[in-house]
Amino acid sequence: MPTFIDDMFSYNPSFSHYALADLEKEGKLIGIITTNVDCMHTIAGTKNVAEIQGSLQVNCCEHCGCHYDSYEIWKKEELPVCEKCGGQIMPWPLYSDISLWQRDVQKARNWISKADLILAIGTHGYFSDCFWNYRRADAVIVQINPGHTGFDSIAKINIKEECDKVFKQLQEIRIK
């Protein structure tokens, strides 16, 4: 029977994950702020990711506190154990009791304070209070989300579509 970790890594990043990584490579994206713990932005190639709830890339031995900060340790056949003491390694969302990863919250605050355009993609905005108030007052907010969210009333543009569909259309326009 597959485990949660097996199931998670059986998925690949979406078209949108790769499109955002490309925008970063072109210098058009400062970084990505996410509450997802699945590392898909990193797997897609994005370098500047603020995972404000931590992720499977932030891991700690529950016994000695040694850090193992890579999602690769979860791809092994067995649960990872600490090389120093043999203790169980746990990802941040578990060993922190689902608290915020302050290092990445600070990155999110820094990035959003500089951004003149903010893309709110597929998010409802949960946990955004920890960085949202740091945004520039003149920043334009564009939301891409088929559902209704807390960003509906503040977004300058609301695109009510799935993000992969939107990024594929943008790529077609860009190629022409």
Side-chain angles (χ1 to χ4, degrees):
M1 181 171 183
T3 66
F4 163 75
I5 300 297
D6 292 334
D7 287 345
M8 190 188 80
F9 287 117
S10 68
Y11 296 100
N12 293 314
S14 70
F15 185 88
S16 298
H17 290 109
Y18 289 110
L20 291 167
D22 288 344
L23 288 172
E24 181 190 54
K25 286 175 194 156
E26 294 169 11
K28 297 177 181 175
L29 181 74
I30 294 173
I32 293 174
I33 303 167
T34 184
T35 58
N36 295 338
V37 300
D38 60 12
C39 310
M40 288 296 155
H41 290 290
T42 300
I43 293 168
T46 301
K47 302 293 182 213
N48 295 313
V49 182
E51 297 166 316
I52 63 170
Q53 284 188 273
S55 73
L56 295 174
Q57 294 190 109
V58 181
N59 306 290
C60 185
C61 173
E62 67 179 347
H63 181 69
C64 73
C66 185
H67 269 259
Y68 295 87
D69 293 341
S70 169
Y71 65 87
E72 295 291 338
I73 67 169
W74 297 107
K75 290 184 169 185
K76 297 177 181 175
E77 294 283 324
E78 58 222 21
L79 289 174
V81 293
C82 182
E83 294 171 0
K84 289 185 178 180
C85 74
Q88 179 66 53
I89 296 175
M90 309 225 2
W92 174 264
L94 292 179
Y95 76 79
S96 70
D97 295 323
I98 316 293
S99 67
L100 297 176
W101 180 234
Q102 288 303 314
R103 182 197 72 188
D104 281 13
V105 168
Q106 290 304 318
K107 280 198 287 189
R109 288 174 179 169
N110 181 38
W111 294 340
I112 206 163
S113 72
K114 296 175 183 174
D116 54 358
L117 174 66
I118 300 168
L119 301 176
I121 303 170
T123 183
H124 294 284
Y126 304 131
F127 299 104
S128 62
D129 290 349
C130 68
F131 62 86
W132 193 251
N133 293 335
Y134 291 79
R135 76 184 187 282
R136 288 177 30 185
D138 62 342
V140 174
I141 301 162
V142 175
Q143 176 179 225
I144 303 171
N145 196 322
H148 294 288
T149 75
F151 294 109
D152 289 351
S153 63
I154 61 172
K156 180 94 169 174
I157 300 171
N158 279 295
I159 302 171
K160 296 298 184 183
E161 295 282 348
E162 294 289 335
C163 57
D164 277 357
K165 181 178 180 181
V166 172
F167 279 105
K168 285 176 183 175
Q169 289 173 339
L170 289 171
Q171 183 184 43
E172 288 174 17
I173 292 168
R174 212 170 150 186
I175 291 172
K176 292 179 183 178

